[in-house]
Amino acid sequence: MFKRVLLIQGHPDSGGGHLCGALEEAYARGAVEGGHELRRIDIAALDFPLLRSQDEWEHGPLPPTLLQSQQDILWSQHIVIFFPLWLGDMPAMLKGFLEQVERPGFAFSGDARNPFARKGLKGRSARLVVTMGMPAVVYRVFFRAHGVKSLRRSVLGFAGIAPVADTLIGMTGNMKSRRAARWLDRLFALGRAAV
């Protein structure tokens, strides 16, 4: 079954040359070979302010630079977010992007009794591809993958995106080329299947 796949590159370094970019490219090649439709968002290339109040989040206008991002999210059936783990969580730029695009009326809506009654992004699945310096098993077991769980439940799940799978890639600081190639092959296969 062919899917509409949205790739969100959450690495804040616009210079490229990082593992997150290579993983995204591998996934994209697989998705194209698998016959899936593909769109991309590069967070580092976008210019948008951070939200500074609840009123701004609820009633302020969406920055014009993010209108297309919301349209791409609505278009998608499967979303893949790539990011490096920084201080146990996603980089601030990715968090700021998600806060901006997941506004009331878009990601959720409701009434006076339950302002979160309708999840606006139901019908979409997601995958989180996360790189980190520590062993992935340490992050998953000892730290209980708190940043990834928060993104899965409180950001994506809150808006109705489910299921959300994750691919945690540890020990990236000293990764040998053979191991990197295996990860790129794995991401290619995930892209081909659009999962």
Side-chain angles (χ1 to χ4, degrees):
M1 178 177 162
F2 301 119
K3 293 182 184 174
R4 295 187 305 272
V5 179
L6 175 62
L7 305 183
I8 300 177
Q9 181 54 254
H11 198 300
D13 182 357
S14 61
H18 44 71
L19 181 58
C20 285
L23 294 165
E24 178 191 359
E25 287 303 318
Y27 191 102
R29 284 194 317 275
V32 168
E33 185 172 300
H36 305 287
E37 291 183 66
L38 192 64
R39 290 188 186 176
R40 298 184 191 210
I41 297 172
D42 181 2
I43 303 293
L46 298 172
D47 184 24
F48 59 89
L50 296 178
L51 290 168
R52 298 187 179 271
S53 71
Q54 181 176 348
D55 184 65
E56 187 178 357
W57 182 64
E58 291 176 347
H59 307 293
L62 182 73
T65 56
L66 298 181
L67 290 171
Q68 184 61 51
S69 295
Q70 279 192 339
Q71 291 307 308
D72 291 342
I73 291 167
L74 289 175
W75 167 87
S76 70
Q77 294 171 303
H78 184 64
I79 300 168
V80 186
I81 304 174
F82 302 83
F83 65 92
L85 192 73
W86 286 6
L87 296 175
D89 208 341
M90 70 185 101
M93 190 172 226
L94 176 56
K95 179 75 161 68
F97 168 82
L98 293 170
E99 287 174 356
Q100 282 282 13
V101 297
E102 284 205 12
R103 302 278 193 103
F106 176 76
F108 64 92
S109 62
D111 54 37
R113 287 190 335 264
N114 183 357
F116 312 112
R118 186 184 72 80
K119 295 175 183 268
L121 300 178
K122 274 187 169 179
R124 288 158 187 83
S125 58
R127 174 169 296 277
L128 309 174
V129 179
V130 186
T131 62
M132 62 193 71
M134 73 178 88
V137 69
V138 171
Y139 181 66
R140 198 179 290 280
V141 175
F142 183 75
F143 293 103
R144 298 186 181 176
H146 63 89
V148 170
K149 284 182 183 176
S150 175
L151 177 54
R152 180 187 298 123
R153 293 179 187 159
S154 303
V155 179
L156 302 176
F158 183 75
I161 299 172
V164 179
D166 61 61
T167 301
L168 305 182
I169 304 170
M171 301 300 289
T172 59
N174 60 359
M175 187 179 286
K176 304 290 187 221
S177 59
R178 180 178 286 171
R179 184 167 171 257
R182 284 197 304 267
W183 276 113
L184 295 174
D185 289 345
R186 189 175 301 180
L187 267 289
F188 178 88
L190 290 170
R192 202 169 194 292
V195 294

